[in-house]
Amino acid sequence: MDASMLLAGPRGRRMLLLFALEASDAVEGDLNERVFAADLLLDPDPPTPVRMTSGGIELPENVFGHLAYMPLPAARRLDRNRASAPDPDAVSAAVERVVAAFDSTVLPDVSGEALAAALADAVSVARYWQPADGTDVLLAREELKDPLARVAERVAASPHADWWASPVAERSQHAMLWDGEDPVPPVDSSRTQLIELRRHLEEREKTARDEKWAGKVSAEWWSAPSWPITGPRTARLLPDGSPVGALLVEDDFGWEEGESIELEVPGGLRIFEIDGADAWVDLCRRFPIEVTEQKRGDWRRTTERDGPWVMPDWAAVAEEYDAVHLQVAAYLQAAGRALPVTDEAATVLAGWDPDATYWFTDRVRYVGERTRWVMNDDDKRIRWERAGG
């Protein structure tokens, strides 16, 4: 895995910051505090009235009893009104303080636990229906390129990250089941589910055009073949035996327990590997379906780009491939970016959990009993453990 993949996209950069905080035990240290202050200055939708001055920021008394590890969406809803626009001098000073804190942070050897925690937190704060938060804005600035590159080189060189750039683990695929749901049936031989998804997108595009949705929030901001439900979605097991599909979840519903079931994958299936941004663009170029009017409001907010949008027509993809797998490194590189497909159209990889594979064939089948998992976050690092032991 090339370190540049970790620097290209907002999710990769967020993971690098979180690793620097996690691995250096800097949760209560200068780096965290300075990132938090810069986040408040740069966030287009800050959590509380903020007054910006050349000397820094001023918050109302007792807004926060302590500095949060990272400002998560649930902690960002106190008040949406800025008291004033950020002072450029205050922004520059805050960014310089973050760079200095990065430079003084000693990065230890990479551990699998620290990487998993950083990756999970970066995934959990992904959002494709509103502007980037202040931390993502900060990390995209040119001043942060070199500090983040130092972390990226360390992470990319670690054997603990090798699986991030590996193809689907065909002998280790497990679907997560939440809220007592049953496993999603495999796609039938006629690909009815995928044809229904195509019809849904075409009808929604017509409705959005006729009703002139323009900047409307669509409530369907994803480009993964996840809804209407199309078929099994699985991921591998981590070295500790817990399912990746429990740990790495975008826009989750606060689940604290769930079940997994194994999916048996026969040999010889045609699996498309999304191993980078170019591979995602290739899918969109070869099998495009236009989603301009229905996605415009969401994707314009999150990428700041306006214009035609496309995503893969999954029914067409399934005519050539039995499954599509998103590698973790590709997710970190591509998710949330406006990626050019043609001279006019672009696409966004959104709503696709890292390492997830969507199966478009009836040749796969569920095997074995369900395994129940419970979330444990006692040490501030979320991990999933087998229930009862």
Side-chain angles (χ1 to χ4, degrees), residues 261-337:
I261 187 168
E262 185 176 1
L263 189 78
E264 185 176 75
V265 179
L269 294 186
R270 304 162 301 170
I271 302 175
F272 185 90
E273 289 288 342
I274 303 175
D275 58 5
D278 289 345
W280 173 255
V281 169
D282 180 51
L283 269 185
C284 295
R285 186 176 293 127
R286 292 167 58 195
F287 311 103
I289 186 169
E290 184 178 3
V291 290
T292 300
E293 301 304 326
Q294 60 189 295
K295 306 290 188 186
R296 167 177 276 154
D298 299 317
W299 290 358
R300 181 175 60 189
R301 288 185 184 89
T302 196
T303 68
E304 298 185 345
R305 176 203 178 270
D306 197 9
W309 295 104
V310 296
M311 60 176 275
D313 175 359
W314 295 111
V317 172
E319 292 178 8
E320 292 196 25
Y321 298 102
D322 299 307
V324 179
H325 170 238
L326 175 63
Q327 297 181 14
V328 174
Y331 170 87
L332 294 173
Q333 180 190 38
R337 296 170 57 195

Side-chain angles (χ1 to χ4, degrees), residues 36 40 47-50 58-66 75 78-79:
F36 184 84
L40 290 175
T48 185
V50 179
E58 295 180 7
L59 292 173
E61 287 187 29
N62 299 321
V63 171
F64 298 105
H66 62 281
L78 299 183
D79 193 312

Side-chain angles (χ1 to χ4, degrees), residues 55-104:
I57 64 172
E58 295 180 7
L59 292 173
E61 287 187 29
N62 299 321
V63 171
F64 298 105
H66 62 281
L67 289 178
Y69 170 36
M70 287 298 294
L72 300 177
R76 308 181 66 83
R77 298 294 177 253
L78 299 183
D79 193 312
R80 294 178 173 272
N81 299 315
R82 282 194 185 276
S84 62
D87 183 327
D89 291 337
V91 170
S92 295
V95 172
E96 289 175 6
R97 283 168 52 82
V98 171
V99 171
F102 254 113
D103 290 343
S104 64

Side-chain angles (χ1 to χ4, degrees), residues 160-184:
H160 295 293
D162 284 349
W163 71 273
W164 291 6
S166 65
V168 60
E170 294 184 46
R171 295 182 179 274
S172 176
Q173 289 298 295
H174 298 258
M176 284 303 301
L177 310 174
W178 305 106
D179 299 325
E181 65 185 343
D182 291 324
V184 177

Side-chain angles (χ1 to χ4, degrees), residues 25 27 31 34 43 101 108 117 148 208 226 261 279 301 304 311 329 347 368:
D25 197 26
V27 173
L31 181 57
R34 294 179 184 189
D43 197 329
L148 288 172
S226 54
I261 187 168
R301 288 185 184 89
E304 298 185 345
M311 60 176 275
T347 186

Side-chain angles (χ1 to χ4, degrees), residues 17-52:
L17 168 65
L18 288 161
F19 172 74
L21 292 170
E22 275 276 352
S24 63
D25 197 26
V27 173
E28 304 295 339
D30 282 348
L31 181 57
N32 183 64
E33 294 180 8
R34 294 179 184 189
V35 168
F36 184 84
D39 174 281
L40 290 175
L41 283 167
L42 292 167
D43 197 329
D45 186 19
T48 185
V50 179
R51 199 160 158 271
M52 289 75 177

